[in-house]
Amino acid sequence: MSKPTDLVQGTLDLLILKTIILEPAHGWAIAHRIRQISKEVLQVNQGALYPALHRLEQQGWIAAEWGESENNRKAKFYSLTKRRPQYMQREEANWERLSAAIGLVLKTS
């Protein structure tokens, strides 16, 4: 297995939103799902995840509610708010632009 890849600055918020689009999830589950979907390439550490969740909550893109996790522990579950679509459209467009630009640079050598 290769070394986990650090996330490009600004992409974590978008990954979190895409991860909880189907159902609310607690922090550990969000990080686990990102790692699982990326086939172990993207690994989100707690030092980056929880500040991002807090920032998204303060900005009104997600809401948090206390609940019980699958192992019967108290956990904060995060879900999307109604404000999310405009933010995600803008961020997905920015990501497409950035990844296309990186692809162009990599192809020129």
Side-chain angles (χ1 to χ4, degrees):
M1 181 169 76
S2 63
K3 179 183 171 210
T5 303
D6 291 332
L7 295 175
V8 175
Q9 185 176 359
T11 60
L12 180 56
D13 292 359
L14 184 58
L15 292 174
I16 290 169
L17 295 174
K18 292 295 267 185
T19 302
I20 61 174
I21 203 163
L22 296 176
E23 64 182 350
H26 54 80
W28 184 88
I30 293 169
H32 178 73
R33 185 76 176 135
I34 291 170
R35 187 173 65 245
Q36 180 184 42
I37 291 171
S38 71
K39 298 184 181 182
E40 307 294 323
V41 174
L42 301 176
Q43 295 192 20
V44 182
N45 65 46
Q46 290 182 3
L49 178 65
Y50 290 100
L53 288 168
H54 183 70
R55 182 178 56 254
L56 288 168
E57 186 177 9
Q58 283 188 323
Q59 293 171 342
W61 304 120
I62 64 174
E65 187 175 307
W66 286 100
E68 204 169 279
S69 69
E70 53 280 345
N71 60 358
N72 297 323
R73 299 184 107 178
K74 192 172 182 180
K76 214 175 198 184
F77 284 78
Y78 299 92
S79 60
L80 299 176
T81 65
K82 293 184 184 340
R83 293 184 60 199
R84 178 255 327 154
Q86 66 189 92
Y87 176 80
M88 286 187 67
Q89 287 175 337
R90 184 180 72 227
E91 290 305 305
E92 286 179 24
N94 284 339
W95 173 251
E96 292 297 329
R97 185 180 53 79
L98 176 63
S99 62
I102 291 170
L104 289 172
V105 171
L106 292 176
K107 289 178 184 177
T108 59
S109 7

